Amino acid sequence: MDTSKTNKAVIDIGSNSIRLVIYSYNSMQGLKELHNFKTVARLSLYIDKNGLLNERGIHLLVETLTKFKEILEDIHVTDVFVAATAAIRQAKNRDEILALVKDRIGFTINILSANQEAFFGYIAVVHSTNIPKAVTIDMGGGSTEVTYFENKKLKYSFSFPFGAVSLKAKFMYDTTMLDHDNKELIEYVKEQFLTLDWIRNLKVPIIAIGGSARNIAQVDQQRKVFPLNGVHQYELKSEDLQEISYQFTQCSLDGLKKIDGLSSDRADIIVPALETFRIFMEVVEAPSFIYSKKGLREGIILSQLIENYPGDFNVNEVTENAIRHILGKFNVKKEVALHLYNIFNEMYLTFSRWKYIDRLEHRELVRFAYELFHIGEQIDQEAASQHTFYLLTNLSIDGISNKERLKLALLASYKNKDTFKQYVNPYQNLLNDQEIKQLRDIGALLRFTKGIDVLGRSNIKHVTITRTTDIITLTFTVVGSSMLEKYQAEKLKKHIEKIVSTKVRLVFMETGENMI
C-alpha cells in the first residue's frame, strides 16, 4: 500500500464564490482537506446585458486568482486544477478571459461543461455515502445540476440555467423576498423542473450539494438543538424545509443574518435556494433531503485519484474505506484491530440466537465498532473510552448516518454500564430504550472480548458455548499458555453475566506449545 502523500489543489471559480482548497491524500489516511480559502465574488452579477463579464468582474477574478497563486507558491503546491462553472461558461467573452488569466497569472482555466459539473458532483456523492439510489442537486450561483443514479451508477444528468444568485436577481428587487415575488419564483422553478420527465415522482432521497444546502442543514440542526457534531449526511424531511421556509420568509435581511447556522454572506440568496429545494422535493416526491459535504471539488480530486489509485476506491466499500482511514491516522493495522473478531462474532451470534442480545439491523456496524474499539487509547491509555467517544461523535464518517455514527461511538467506547449511561444521556431523543439496551449489551460483549486479549496477540483459536438451566459455559481453545487470558476473563466475566442474567463459567483448554 502506498503511504506517500500527494498534495493537490482545486480552484473553483463559481458564480457565487471563488474558492481555493488544498488536499493531501495517501492510501492509509485517505483524503484530507488541508486549507480552504474563499472569496465571495458573485461573478454572475457582473455579466452585462450583452452576456459579457464586465471589467469589474474580470478585475475581481484576476485579483482573487493572483492572491491564490501567491498562497500556492508560499506552501509549495504545484498540482493545481482550476475549474470554472456557470458564470465563466456563460460569458460570451470567456475566451478572452481565459487568455488573460493564462498570460497574467499562468493558470489554465478548465471550463466545465454542465455535464462535467454534474458528473463530478455525482462522483463525490457515491464515494461518500452508502445510498444506492438517489437524485442529487447541486445549486450554485448561476446554474443548478441534477443527476439520478441507481445501484450507484449514473443514469441521467441535467443542468438548469438558474442558481441562487441569478434567481435573486430575477425575483428579488430588494433585500427581502415579497409574497408575490416568492410565488413567481416558485412557479418559475416548478415549471423548469417539470420539463425534466425523469425526475418526476421518483420517490427516492435527494442528496444536496453546495453551500446553500449546507446552510439549510446547519439551520435545521440549530433549531432542533441537534446533539451530534458534523453536517455530512444530515437528513431533513419535507416538513423541515417547509418550517424553515416560513421562518426565512418572515425575516428581513438583518434578521436572516442573525439566524444560527446561516452564513451572513449567504443570507441574501438563501430564500431562493431554499424555495428551489422545497419545490424540487415536491416534484421528486422525495422521502428525505440529505446534505453531502462532498461535492464538485472533491469529485474533481477523486476523479484524478481513482486513475492513480484504482484499488483504493470502491463505491460499494465507502464505510470500510472510511474506517480504514481512521485506523490509518493512528497507524493501527486492520488485521491487528480485528484480532479475535471470530471469537467475538461466535459469542455475538450465539447470544443473539438464544435471545440474550438483539442483533443490530446494520450488520457491519458491529464489526466497525470492533475495529475501532477504544481507538482513543492511541491518544491516552487512561482515558481511552472518553477519547474514543469524543472522537467518533465528532468525526464525519462516510457511508453511515448520524444516528449510526452515534451507535458506533457508544459501542466502540464501551467501558462499563455507568460510563455508557453517562455517554448516552444527552442523546436520549435519538435512541429509544430498546436501542439503548441493545447497544449496552453488545458493548459489554465487545469489552469482554477485547479485554481478554491482554497483549493484543492472544492465541485463543476457538470458543464453544454451552448452557444449562442455571449456567453458561464458555470454553476457549488456546495454543500455549492462557494465564493472562484466564486472569483477565475472570475480572471481565461480569459483563457477560449482565447480558445473560445467569452465572458464567470460563474454561481454557491449552494445546500445543506456548506461542506468546
Side-chain angles (χ1 to χ4, degrees):
M1 184 177 290
D2 186 4
T3 58
S4 60
K5 286 191 176 181
T6 299
N7 285 351
K8 292 176 174 286
V10 173
I11 296 176
D12 176 8
I13 305 169
S15 302
N16 182 51
S17 62
I18 305 174
R19 196 182 289 264
L20 164 64
V21 185
I22 296 112
Y23 301 90
S24 72
Y25 177 80
N26 72 24
S27 296
M28 280 188 65
Q29 299 181 5
L31 187 64
K32 181 180 179 182
E33 184 180 297
L34 300 177
H35 305 285
N36 193 317
F37 305 94
K38 171 186 170 184
T39 295
V40 180
R42 299 279 171 90
L43 288 182
S44 59
L45 297 180
Y46 296 100
I47 302 290
D48 65 24
K49 61 182 180 181
N50 297 314
L52 304 172
L53 183 66
N54 66 27
E55 287 187 14
R56 288 183 62 192
I58 293 172
H59 174 75
L60 182 56
L61 173 64
V62 171
E63 182 181 51
T64 302
L65 293 180
T66 300
K67 289 179 182 175
F68 285 174
K69 185 177 183 183
E70 291 172 357
I71 291 170
L72 289 166
E73 289 175 344
D74 187 52
I75 59 179
H76 308 293
V77 174
T78 56
D79 188 344
V80 185
F81 187 91
V82 185
T85 55
I88 305 298
R89 184 169 67 226
Q90 295 166 4
K92 291 184 177 178
N93 56 339
R94 58 183 174 272
D95 291 340
E96 291 89 335
I97 296 168
L98 267 60
L100 178 66
V101 168
K102 179 68 175 176
D103 180 58
R104 289 197 189 177
I105 308 172
F107 284 153
T108 298
I109 296 179
N110 300 275
I111 297 181
L112 303 183
S113 69
N115 283 337
Q116 285 177 309
E117 193 173 352
F119 176 77
F120 287 133
Y122 149 78
I123 285 290
V125 164
V126 295
H127 281 92
S128 63
T129 70
N130 270 335
I131 301 168
K133 181 165 66 172
V135 174
T136 70
I137 181 167
D138 183 0
M139 190 174 195
S143 67
T144 298
E145 281 67 46
V146 297
T147 73
Y148 173 53
F149 61 85
E150 288 182 358
N151 297 318
K152 290 204 166 184
K153 294 181 179 178
L154 183 63
K155 289 201 70 175
Y156 303 107
S157 67
F158 190 79
S159 179
F160 291 98
F162 59 81
V165 176
S166 60
L167 286 176
K168 178 204 169 186
K170 186 178 180 70
F171 294 102
M172 288 177 68
Y173 305 102
D174 200 351
T175 57
T176 304
M177 176 76 77
L178 301 176
D179 286 345
H180 67 274
D181 295 328
N182 195 33
K183 288 177 182 176
E184 287 183 8
L185 181 147
I186 289 170
E187 288 175 6
Y188 169 77
V189 168
K190 190 168 187 177
E191 183 180 326
Q192 290 284 314
F193 286 147
L194 289 174
T195 62
L196 209 57
D197 290 339
W198 55 262
I199 66 170
R200 295 188 195 181
N201 310 324
L202 275 173
K203 297 181 174 63
V204 297
I206 289 171
I207 303 177
I209 302 165
S212 294
R214 181 183 65 250
N215 272 247
I216 289 165
Q218 289 171 171
V219 167
D220 195 60
Q221 286 185 334
Q222 290 292 325
R223 76 188 187 96
K224 292 177 178 175
V225 197
F226 189 71
L228 277 172
N229 286 329
V231 73
H232 180 52
Q233 300 168 121
Y234 181 74
E235 182 176 334
L236 298 89
K237 301 297 183 183
S238 59
E239 53 266 30
D240 295 321
L241 293 187
Q242 185 65 51
E243 288 170 13
I244 298 171
S245 172
Y246 179 78
Q247 177 188 6
F248 283 2
T249 52
Q250 301 305 304
C251 286
S252 64
L253 180 59
D254 287 339
L256 286 169
K257 288 180 178 180
K258 295 175 183 176
I259 293 176
D260 290 339
L262 180 58
S263 303
S264 58
D265 62 16
R266 199 172 287 273
D268 63 326
I269 58 172
I270 197 64
V271 171
L274 174 58
E275 295 301 276
T276 300
F277 292 142
R278 196 170 60 79
I279 298 307
F280 189 64
M281 212 170 172
E282 285 182 12
V283 172
V284 175
E285 292 189 24
S288 56
F289 180 91
I290 302 166
Y291 170 68
S292 169
K293 185 180 178 182
K294 312 294 174 67
L296 173 69
R297 292 179 294 276
E298 287 78 12
I300 291 170
I301 290 291
L302 285 169
S303 294
Q304 296 175 7
L305 291 173
I306 289 167
E307 277 189 44
N308 297 327
Y309 307 92
D312 287 3
F313 299 93
N314 184 328
V315 293
N316 297 314
E317 296 178 354
V318 170
T319 309
E320 286 87 342
N321 288 333
I323 301 299
R324 174 167 58 84
H325 295 152
I326 295 172
L327 294 172
K329 287 177 174 67
F330 291 101
N331 295 312
V332 176
K333 294 181 178 178
K334 182 175 181 177
E335 57 269 25
V336 173
L338 282 173
H339 187 55
L340 295 192
Y341 178 72
N342 62 320
I343 303 298
F344 163 81
N345 198 45
E346 181 63 31
M347 291 189 289
Y348 174 60
L349 295 177
T350 300
F351 288 161
S352 62
R353 190 167 62 247
W354 290 348
K355 308 300 182 185
Y356 293 129
I357 285 180
D358 184 13
R359 291 176 66 178
L360 279 180
E361 184 178 348
H362 189 318
R363 296 179 182 179
E364 293 179 316
L365 201 65
V366 176
R367 177 166 57 84
F368 298 148
Y370 192 93
E371 290 182 67
L372 296 176
F373 191 81
H374 284 202
I375 189 73
E377 69 183 3
Q378 306 299 324
I379 301 170
D380 180 66
Q381 182 75 35
E382 293 297 316
S385 171
Q386 293 94 319
H387 283 301
T388 300
F389 186 74
Y390 180 83
L391 178 71
L392 297 180
T393 51
N394 285 275
L395 272 178
S396 288
I397 303 176
D398 289 345
I400 63 173
S401 68
N402 287 279
K403 184 174 179 178
E404 288 170 332
R405 180 160 55 93
L406 173 60
K407 290 182 177 182
L408 179 65
L410 288 166
L411 290 172
S413 64
Y414 191 90
K415 183 178 181 181
N416 54 48
K417 189 175 180 180
D418 290 339
T419 306
F420 178 88
K421 186 177 180 181
Q422 175 189 335
Y423 292 158
V424 81
N425 197 49
Y427 304 96
Q428 300 277 358
N429 61 328
L430 294 182
L431 299 168
N432 60 42
D433 290 343
Q434 181 183 350
E435 289 172 315
I436 290 171
K437 182 185 182 305
Q438 175 191 46
L439 294 168
R440 186 177 62 236
D441 290 343
I442 299 172
L445 188 58
L446 284 164
R447 176 78 177 92
F448 174 82
T449 312
K450 285 286 190 175
I452 65 175
D453 189 16
V454 184
L455 299 179
R457 51 183 179 149
S458 172
N459 282 312
I460 297 175
K461 298 300 181 183
H462 184 66
V463 61
T464 302
I465 308 163
T466 57
R467 66 174 172 172
T468 62
T469 55
D470 58 352
I471 193 167
I472 288 180
T473 302
L474 303 179
T475 303
F476 297 98
T477 303
V478 188
V479 176
S481 172
S482 60
M483 179 183 67
L484 292 175
E485 287 85 353
K486 284 179 184 176
Y487 173 76
Q488 195 68 3
E490 287 296 336
K491 285 177 61 178
L492 295 172
K493 75 175 183 179
K494 61 185 178 183
H495 293 293
I496 303 291
E497 289 175 337
K498 287 176 182 176
I499 297 171
V500 299
S501 299
T502 191
K503 187 177 179 181
V504 171
R505 184 167 70 102
L506 303 172
V507 177
F508 285 82
M509 295 178 58
E510 298 177 357
T511 64
E513 296 180 358
N514 187 352
M515 299 176 62
I516 297 180

